[in-house]
Amino acid sequence: MAAWVPCRKWGWAAVSFGRHRGLIASLARKPPWAWWLSACRQKTTLSFLKRPELPSLAYKRLKGKNPGIIFIPGYLSNMNGKKAVAIEEFCKSIGHAFIRFDYSGVGSSDGNLAECSVGKWRKDVLSILDDIAEGPQILVGSSLGGWLMLHAAIARPEKVIALIGIASATDGVVTQFHSLPVEMQKEIEMKGEWSLPSKYNKEGYYSIPYSFIKEAAHHCLLHSPIPVTCPVRLLHGMKDEIVPWHRSLQVADRVVSPDVDVILRKHSDHRMKETADIHLLICTIDDLIDKLSTVTH
């Protein structure tokens, strides 16, 4: 049975599907600025992963101890977002390895965005895991990245040792599309494009090709048990108007791992980029590193 653990100071509740291990204590003992002040000024430089017959991927890598952390961004987001930079600063402060990158067709990476798909971005994540990352990794996936991190854990179980999802959009665009009236679905199919309203895009909407939606359907996971056995932490804002917070509960229910926590922030939106959101994310990473180091030793 899931146990709800309220914490009035932080405005979140944890739903533990396994044994909850020390996150509340971690939050209590670490003020938001403690890890930031101790971070060194080491700079990461932009590099490119060359891949035969595939677009080169732009990435920034911080060398350090394992487990390493890899940040997987959201739909059309690049590696320079607030969450990715904050995690990098934290990893500098504790001496752990960290990687952030741009999907093909996005940011500084090569590729044509119009030709991109969930399947191709899945390959991007696996390329980073296989060719750049060394040793065991904790994946932190934001929105679409929370979907792709599950695929990476399934494909590379020996290398992915923990997952942290932020507003995980597992099966997201497919579920949204199929929730539309049948007439509208047919209209989008005929037109070949879906104009999806979004306040996070300067145009006020995302133009999503119908071919993208159709291809994404091949990568849906929530229809059956998800064979992920590592620890999973799912953070979600209850004011998320893009991906309902119930989606994280669905993911928690579907993954076969017994060690799963869902942490809900009552007043946070989809991006989860406010100071308290970032603090919760950093403490979640820190708690997992402590837990995995204890298991290892």
Side-chain angles (χ1 to χ4, degrees):
M1 178 174 290
W4 287 82
V5 187
C7 184
R8 189 172 300 177
K9 178 180 177 182
W10 288 98
W12 56 267
V15 191
S16 178
F17 287 78
R19 294 175 60 191
H20 197 70
R21 301 173 187 267
L23 178 56
I24 294 175
S26 182
L27 281 164
R29 73 173 182 265
K30 295 178 189 298
W33 38 263
W35 53 270
W36 187 275
L37 289 179
S38 61
C40 62
R41 296 299 120 202
Q42 179 186 354
K43 296 290 185 181
T44 52
T45 57
L46 186 66
S47 302
F48 290 88
L49 172 61
K50 303 293 184 182
R51 303 183 296 172
E53 301 181 5
L54 289 172
S56 296
L57 297 180
Y59 70 94
K60 291 188 175 183
R61 178 187 182 192
L62 179 70
K63 293 186 177 182
K65 296 182 292 187
N66 285 329
I69 315 294
I70 301 177
F71 183 79
I72 308 174
Y75 181 71
L76 301 189
S77 297
N78 62 40
M79 71 172 91
N80 298 316
K82 190 174 181 179
K83 293 187 288 289
V85 172
I87 297 170
E88 181 174 290
E89 290 297 318
F90 173 67
C91 287
K92 287 177 186 177
S93 75
I94 62 171
H96 275 255
F98 176 70
I99 298 170
R100 50 186 167 120
F101 70 99
D102 287 337
Y103 297 123
S104 52
V106 178
S108 299
S109 288
D110 293 342
N112 182 357
L113 180 59
E115 298 174 355
C116 290
S117 65
V118 171
K120 289 181 178 179
W121 287 337
R122 174 185 177 276
K123 287 182 180 178
D124 292 348
V125 177
L126 295 180
S127 291
I128 294 294
L129 260 176
D130 294 342
D131 301 328
I132 304 299
E134 298 177 356
Q137 302 292 315
I138 298 172
L139 306 187
V140 180
S142 179
S143 193
L144 172 72
W147 183 3
L148 294 176
M149 73 177 187
L150 292 168
H151 277 285
I154 294 167
R156 302 290 187 271
E158 73 290 344
K159 199 160 190 177
V160 177
I161 61 170
L163 300 176
I164 300 174
I166 308 163
S168 297
T170 308
D171 300 4
V173 68
V174 180
T175 302
Q176 283 179 279
F177 177 75
H178 286 299
S179 69
L180 298 173
V182 175
E183 296 78 12
M184 192 176 293
Q185 293 182 38
K186 290 180 178 177
E187 183 181 329
I188 291 169
E189 183 177 356
M190 292 286 290
K191 187 180 177 182
E193 186 178 86
W194 183 18
S195 296
L196 181 64
S198 175
K199 68 178 183 180
Y200 301 125
N201 192 18
K202 60 183 179 181
E203 284 81 19
Y205 64 92
Y206 287 117
S207 293
I208 302 177
Y210 177 71
S211 59
F212 182 93
I213 302 167
K214 193 174 180 181
E215 193 277 340
H218 296 296
H219 305 285
C220 287
L221 294 170
L222 293 175
H223 52 76
S224 60
I226 302 172
V228 169
T229 58
C230 64
V232 180
R233 304 291 179 263
L234 300 166
L235 317 182
H236 218 125
M238 295 180 75
K239 300 293 186 184
D240 190 335
E241 71 285 13
I242 305 297
V243 182
W245 58 266
H246 302 85
R247 186 68 49 80
S248 284
L249 296 182
Q250 288 179 287
V251 173
D253 183 54
R254 286 299 191 185
V255 295
V256 300
S257 172
D259 186 359
V260 181
D261 291 340
V262 178
I263 304 171
L264 302 176
R265 283 195 54 80
K266 187 171 183 178
H267 298 294
S268 296
D269 63 13
H270 182 65
R271 293 175 295 178
M272 294 196 72
K273 60 190 292 187
E274 300 304 318
T275 300
D277 298 326
I278 299 295
H279 182 206
L280 173 61
L281 172 60
I282 296 303
C283 287
T284 303
I285 295 171
D286 189 36
D287 181 63
L288 272 177
I289 289 174
D290 284 348
K291 168 188 169 64
L292 294 167
S293 298
T294 301
V295 170
T296 302
H297 295 98

